[in-house]
Amino acid sequence: MKFFVDTAEIDDIRDLAETGLVDGVTTNPSLIHKSGRDFLEVIAEICDLVDGPVSAEVAATDYPTMLEEGRKLAKIASNVAVKVPLTPDGLKTCRALSQSGTQVNVTLCFSANQAILAAKAGASFISPFIGRLDDIATDGMDLIADICDVYANYPELPTEVLVASVRHPMHVLQAAKLGADVATVPPGVIWQMFNHPLTEKGLAAFVADWQKTGQTIL
Ligand code: E4P
């Protein structure tokens, strides 16, 4: 499973990139707003830090303007994945950008039928939002299972399942069990995945016993 970081905070991305565990980054207008940064500048900086796809979302909702914005975003760096909403105009934009060789992440997916449409439009990634479904008492993970099942029937489809709106480590584990291609995860949740009290306890005991041997390795 690939890990994308779901943030526009450069320091958080840098810290995680140093672990070697980051395969890409996703942003959205809300994350850009939260960062307080200039959109185009911050996307360029993220693309310098991370080799994998960096999602940058269009702001318009009509096809001609989305396409123009998408083309501008794609020029920032070769690893920009243009993010478009799952609307008829968004999928028209997806088709046009994909045909010209730009990676496209189709966002705001809440049903398997929408995921089928995005795949037919040539999306590189489909982003089902599981946390927002959980918030309305609908199991987001059922949607991931459905999309993975449907896509498995058509192995020629170019679209990777990018699990979005991840809220906690169990979301990541469940998505991995279902075989989702990618999870985009907030930095705090990635750090939470490292934690286990028995790891901390065991390491403290090993460090203490090693000191008692009086030996050094280096
Ligand atoms: C990522 O591409 C999405 O924009 C993000 O995961 C949405 O998460 P949220 O539902 O926590 O805002």
Side-chain angles (χ1 to χ4, degrees), residues 15-42:
D15 287 349
L16 278 164
E18 282 170 6
T19 67
L21 298 172
V22 174
D23 302 299
V25 173
T26 52
T27 66
N28 63 36
S30 303
L31 293 171
I32 296 295
H33 175 63
K34 196 172 156 201
S35 76
R37 295 285 316 274
D38 177 86
F39 178 37
L40 303 182
E41 269 178 28
V42 82

Side-chain angles (χ1 to χ4, degrees), residues 176-190:
K177 281 183 171 178
L178 292 169
D181 303 287
V182 194
T184 188
V185 187
V189 175
I190 298 183

